[in-house]
Amino acid sequence: MYIEDAISTNHRFVDFVEERENDLFEKEKFRALGKQDDYIFQTLVFMGRASQQMSIGFTIADTLNEIPQSIKEEMRDLARRYHGLQEQIRNLSKEGG
């Protein structure tokens, strides 16, 4: 019975993912832009959104006395490295197309 329950649970999970896949990965939006197969572009879109959210968090954290300066510096370093990764990925897109 345990195996049947596990299989049933797995099928429900797969169904759940398939139902939400379009929303999660915004397939229709990328299709409308003609970018449904441009995974580098899609990566940069999602990374850009994450960068915006991190920036807001970093801005708030920067005003807090409770957060040590060393952590704030680590956050700035993380942002610089993250932007560097975005640039490397952007260059891959330029090389490939």
Side-chain angles (χ1 to χ4, degrees), residues 1-14:
M1 193 58 131
Y2 175 77
I3 293 174
E4 291 172 358
D5 289 343
I7 291 171
S8 176
T9 299
N10 185 51
H11 285 297
R12 286 194 307 263
F13 178 73
V14 169

Side-chain angles (χ1 to χ4, degrees), residues 30 39-55 78-79 81-90:
F30 289 121
Y39 298 109
I40 291 177
F41 176 83
Q42 293 177 31
T43 298
L44 289 168
V45 167
F46 288 114
M47 287 183 77
R49 290 181 190 165
S51 177
Q52 291 172 339
Q53 294 299 307
M54 284 191 307
S55 179
L78 174 62
R81 289 184 291 133
Y82 191 82
H83 290 155
L85 287 171
Q86 285 177 293
E87 196 57 38
Q88 289 177 35
I89 293 169
R90 198 170 284 113

